Amino acid sequence: MRTKETRVFRRPVYVWFPVAVGVAVWGGAVLVAGPVVGEPVPAFLAAGFAVFFWAIGWESAIRSTDCHVSFTNVLLTTTVAWTDVKQVDIRGGLGVTLRDGSELSSIAFGGSLLGDLTGYRTHRPAFRQLRQIHGKVRASQRGGGLRGPVQRKLSFAWRRLLCALAVVYAPIMVVLVLSR
């Protein structure tokens, strides 16, 4: 029996550090746009950096259902069926190898020297769960290997981007209008 539950894997420090930096930069942008400084151009540039930090931190994740696995890097998501995944690997960062030999990985679970030295301790819980889901899918295939090209679905999170832009830029516009 398959469930529709989506599991989302994020690294907490990787999420909250860029988001905190983005909030701090956004706070600075509001101050720069305010009545004390009154400079809109630097405020809008700083707000753009806030959106960028949000996209790197919050949007970079791995999402998995019983049928598909998705890797989101910044705002671009690549989704493949679990049946197209050959193996889940943690060497050099968490990722999957597809039947055609290509690899998918996430910025949030990427490789690093510290990770190589420590064995990617922060990646292990996600690795175990993804490997378990992949194992269930392979067991249900009963030896019937798939043929043909790997099907990838690419999507761009434009709605979330528009919401983030509205949340970041609307208060700056209000401050600019009120400070005039």
Side-chain angles (χ1 to χ4, degrees):
M1 183 173 154
R2 296 188 186 267
T3 62
K4 297 280 184 182
E5 176 186 351
T6 300
R7 296 162 203 86
V8 180
F9 303 99
R10 290 185 174 103
R11 291 178 52 205
V13 171
Y14 192 85
V15 170
W16 294 112
F17 182 72
V19 170
V21 169
V23 169
V25 168
W26 178 80
V30 170
L31 291 175
V32 168
V36 176
V37 179
E39 289 293 329
V41 174
F44 282 108
L45 289 174
F49 280 111
V51 171
F52 174 74
F53 286 121
W54 164 80
I56 284 181
W58 187 255
E59 282 300 303
S60 295
I62 300 172
R63 292 172 177 83
S64 171
T65 66
D66 290 341
C67 301
H68 297 88
V69 62
S70 300
F71 290 83
T72 303
N73 293 311
V74 187
L75 293 166
L76 184 66
T77 301
T78 305
T79 303
V80 295
W82 272 114
T83 53
D84 287 332
V85 175
K86 183 177 178 181
Q87 75 177 23
V88 179
D89 194 12
I90 198 168
R91 290 174 288 144
L94 180 59
V96 296
T97 304
L98 304 177
R99 287 185 300 110
D100 63 4
S102 62
E103 297 179 359
L104 291 178
S105 61
S106 171
I107 292 172
F109 290 93
S112 68
L113 179 59
L114 183 60
D116 283 336
L117 295 174
T118 62
Y120 293 101
R121 288 182 27 205
T122 60
H123 297 29
R124 287 184 198 157
F127 170 68
R128 283 191 292 269
Q129 289 183 32
L130 291 172
R131 189 176 58 183
Q132 179 183 21
I133 296 166
H134 182 245
K136 287 180 185 177
V137 170
R138 291 193 63 107
S140 70
Q141 282 181 323
R142 297 189 182 100
L146 295 174
R147 295 188 189 342
V150 171
Q151 299 296 314
R152 291 176 185 82
K153 179 185 173 197
L154 295 175
S155 59
F156 182 72
W158 63 271
R159 288 182 182 104
R160 288 191 297 244
L161 177 61
L162 286 179
C163 288
L165 291 171
V167 166
V168 168
Y169 283 108
I172 291 176
M173 292 298 292
V174 169
V175 168
L176 283 171
V177 168
L178 293 177
S179 66
R180 297 288 169 185

